[in-house]
Amino acid sequence: MTISEENYIKVIYHLSLVSPKGVNTNAIAGMLDTKASSVTDMLKKLSDKDLVSYQKYQGVTLTDKGFFSAKMIVRKHRLWEVFLVDKLGFSWDEVHEIAEELEHIKSEQLINKLDAFLGFPVADPHGDPIPDAKGVIKKIEKQLLSEVEINASFHCVGVKDSSTDFLKYLDKQKIALGSVVKVIDREDFDDTLTVEIDGKRLTISNKIANNLYVQ
Amino acid sequence: MTISEENYIKVIYHLSLVSPKGVNTNAIAGMLDTKASSVTDMLKKLSDKDLVSYQKYQGVTLTDKGFFSAKMIVRKHRLWEVFLVDKLGFSWDEVHEIAEELEHIKSEQLINKLDAFLGFPVADPHGDPIPDAKGVIKKIEKQLLSEVEINASFHCVGVKDSSTDFLKYLDKQKIALGSVVKVIDREDFDDTLTVEIDGKRLTISNKIANNLYVQ
DNA sequence: TTTTATTTTTAGTTTTGTCTAAATTTAATT
DNA sequence: AATTAAATTTAGACAAAACTAAAAATAAAA
């Protein structure tokens, strides 16, 4: 697989999680910042290689082979992110771009040794699950902070939005994965939350709460 | 720079060390397993980018800019090799190919953090020097085992040939970087050496001695 | 159910890096 | 110095992955 093919497979994988019946050409083009016509060309190629099933105008789904390939790419991406943060001292908002390159390094032995070196982590620095060598993904129990009951405590376990802006906001508020959040109150009018983190009161907008996973 | 351009620059760098007045088109083609006509095309492009100075039929040399780029690629290659051996447990004959891919990962911050993580190593697993972030290469004092005086002791500090076959031969004979070699005798007829390593007598052909650096 | 709008595909180009085959330049030999 | 051999370059073509513009199919609206 070329780097370009891998990028398509990965994007189709992520979009499949949202629309499992079939992924649109335009959606893929949007994610890859390319044109619909380029996507059509590539879908034909991926279909010839039996990585996707594709019927003109009907959207595309991954075959078993494509699904496994996608999980291996995601595995590599997330393991490298763990390496960058845990071993090299990058912050969680700096690692995505570099991992986008590292995920295309080919050696299977490399990734399995890296996995062992990192202690077989089950989640990346943003709380996203890491597929194991067989492609099995351990489901991480989680709820959005916007949807939990009030008067209870939770651990932060992940973020839905991994944008730099959001991650930097969390850094500023000293919210990290593992932080304990006690939900004090929810405002009826706009769903703003009052929470307590490390004994400190904090007001959190619904948009924030809607992008933070807790357990 | 594209991956392909980086590969050309790297090859020209290595060949320059042997023929500093100018590197031949065919030599480059041989190293990259490509055709002379492809090399000519690329030399024009590299020349336009001011990475090499190139005059038709006259061979090619690196500009200062090209020379620095080359050293940064070599730096990345060798640092990744150290990582693979020291941290992930690869053996020294397994790392070249993987490092060939890793050397093209772009982030400068990444490579400097990796350097620090590895403890600022000065040589890779084969004893080759690692350029620092400014491109400075600390010269490693070394002689070929084939050229040292007899009745003296040395440390193995590097290999000239990094082929799997040679490295596996050294593994079999329990010769590693750091091993102490005492040169007992040299046969006049074919320059075969009798040496002592870890108290064990060993006969070594001239071809072997000619590819092992000691100090 | 037509008509309109949107999405997707086709057809034809472009760029990058490669190739083959032919032409040219340099080097070696008689 | 002329001829042959080797190395190098040019010219033209191709595959991969992208693009633009136009055509076709599907979905939405009147």
Side-chain angles (χ1 to χ4, degrees):
Chain A
M1 267 214 260
T2 66
I3 289 178
S4 190
E5 287 169 351
E6 290 193 341
N7 283 332
Y8 274 90
I9 288 294
K10 187 184 53 166
V11 160
I12 294 167
Y13 170 79
H14 287 304
L15 291 171
S16 299
L17 300 181
V18 184
S19 36
K21 330 157 193 179
V23 176
N24 293 333
T25 301
N26 265 349
I28 298 169
M31 293 280 280
L32 286 170
D33 204 29
T34 185
K35 294 291 147 70
S37 55
S38 307
V39 175
T40 301
D41 287 346
M42 183 57 92
L43 292 183
K44 285 180 192 161
K45 196 194 306 184
L46 295 175
S47 182
D48 288 345
K49 291 194 173 188
D50 195 34
L51 290 161
V52 302
S53 31
Y54 166 61
Q55 310 261 77
K56 276 194 203 179
Y57 298 102
Q58 301 311 128
V60 69
T61 54
L62 292 172
T63 61
D64 286 353
K65 190 175 156 193
F67 188 54
F68 184 78
S69 301
K71 285 188 291 187
M72 287 304 109
I73 299 165
V74 168
R75 167 170 163 80
K76 288 194 271 182
H77 183 102
R78 293 181 181 166
L79 282 173
W80 280 116
E81 284 197 346
V82 173
F83 170 72
L84 293 172
V85 169
D86 287 7
K87 301 296 182 181
L88 296 196
F90 280 95
S91 61
W92 64 348
D93 60 299
E94 296 175 314
V95 296
H96 184 76
E97 275 179 68
I98 301 174
E100 287 282 298
E101 291 190 59
L102 286 163
E103 75 189 4
H104 300 295
I105 304 293
K106 299 260 170 305
S107 166
E108 192 180 322
Q109 210 193 350
L110 169 62
I111 211 64
N112 291 335
K113 280 178 182 276
L114 179 65
D115 195 11
F117 178 61
L118 298 172
F120 303 103
V122 297
D124 78 8
H126 312 104
D128 295 314
I130 299 175
D132 72 15
K134 290 180 175 163
V136 178
I137 300 176
K138 206 170 187 177
K139 184 117 193 236
I140 297 170
E141 279 307 320
K142 62 193 180 186
Q143 298 175 270
L144 286 172
L145 180 58
S146 55
E147 290 170 352
V148 299
E149 72 272 33
I150 64 173
N151 262 316
S153 281
F154 304 88
H155 287 84
C156 295
V157 295
V159 293
K160 189 163 139 195
D161 171 10
S162 296
S163 70
T164 300
D165 281 352
F166 183 53
L167 298 178
K168 284 215 177 297
Y169 165 84
L170 295 177
D171 286 344
K172 200 169 65 188
Q173 303 292 354
K174 302 255 189 293
I175 302 172
L177 298 199
S179 296
V180 174
V181 184
K182 186 173 176 193
V183 182
I184 309 292
D185 194 28
R186 173 179 287 119
E187 182 61 52
D188 282 341
F189 178 63
D190 62 356
D191 289 324
T192 293
L193 291 182
T194 303
V195 300
E196 205 174 279
I197 297 179
D198 300 328
K200 249 175 43 189
R201 279 280 164 110
L202 208 63
T203 303
I204 279 183
S205 77
N206 179 250
K207 186 173 175 186
I208 299 293
N210 215 10
N211 281 296
L212 192 56
Y213 288 117
V214 298
Q215 189 198 332
Chain B
M1 268 215 259
T2 66
I3 290 177
S4 190
E5 286 169 350
E6 289 193 342
N7 284 332
Y8 274 91
I9 288 294
K10 187 185 53 167
V11 160
I12 295 167
Y13 170 80
H14 287 305
L15 291 171
S16 299
L17 301 180
V18 184
S19 37
K21 329 153 192 183
V23 176
N24 294 333
T25 301
N26 266 348
I28 299 169
M31 294 279 281
L32 286 170
D33 203 31
T34 184
K35 295 290 147 69
S37 56
S38 307
V39 175
T40 301
D41 287 344
M42 183 57 92
L43 292 183
K44 285 178 191 162
K45 194 193 306 186
L46 295 175
S47 183
D48 289 345
K49 291 194 172 187
D50 196 34
L51 290 161
V52 303
S53 30
Y54 166 63
Q55 310 261 78
K56 275 195 206 180
Y57 298 102
Q58 300 312 126
V60 69
T61 55
L62 292 172
T63 60
D64 287 353
K65 190 176 156 193
F67 187 55
F68 183 79
S69 300
K71 286 189 291 188
M72 287 304 108
I73 299 166
V74 168
R75 168 172 163 78
K76 288 193 272 182
H77 184 101
R78 293 182 179 165
L79 282 173
W80 281 117
E81 285 197 343
V82 173
F83 170 72
L84 293 172
V85 169
D86 287 7
K87 302 295 183 182
L88 296 196
F90 280 94
S91 61
W92 64 346
D93 60 297
E94 297 174 314
V95 296
H96 184 76
E97 274 179 68
I98 300 174
E100 287 282 299
E101 290 190 60
L102 286 164
E103 75 190 3
H104 300 296
I105 304 293
K106 299 258 169 309
S107 166
E108 192 180 323
Q109 210 192 349
L110 168 62
I111 210 65
N112 291 335
K113 279 178 183 277
L114 179 66
D115 196 11
F117 177 62
L118 298 172
F120 302 103
V122 297
D124 77 9
H126 313 104
D128 295 314
I130 298 175
D132 72 15
K134 288 178 175 163
V136 178
I137 300 176
K138 207 170 187 176
K139 185 117 190 233
I140 296 171
E141 279 308 320
K142 61 191 180 189
Q143 296 175 271
L144 286 172
L145 181 59
S146 55
E147 290 169 352
V148 299
E149 71 273 31
I150 63 171
N151 262 312
S153 281
F154 304 89
H155 287 83
C156 294
V157 296
V159 292
K160 190 164 138 194
D161 171 10
S162 298
S163 70
T164 300
D165 281 352
F166 183 51
L167 298 177
K168 285 215 176 295
Y169 166 84
L170 295 177
D171 286 345
K172 199 170 65 189
Q173 303 294 354
K174 302 257 190 291
I175 302 171
L177 298 200
S179 295
V180 175
V181 183
K182 187 174 175 190
V183 183
I184 309 290
D185 194 26
R186 173 179 288 120
E187 182 61 51
D188 282 341
F189 178 64
D190 62 356
D191 290 325
T192 292
L193 291 181
T194 303
V195 300
E196 206 173 279
I197 297 180
D198 298 328
K200 250 177 37 192
R201 279 280 164 110
L202 208 62
T203 303
I204 278 185
S205 78
N206 179 250
K207 186 173 175 187
I208 299 293
N210 216 9
N211 280 297
L212 192 55
Y213 289 117
V214 298
Q215 187 199 330

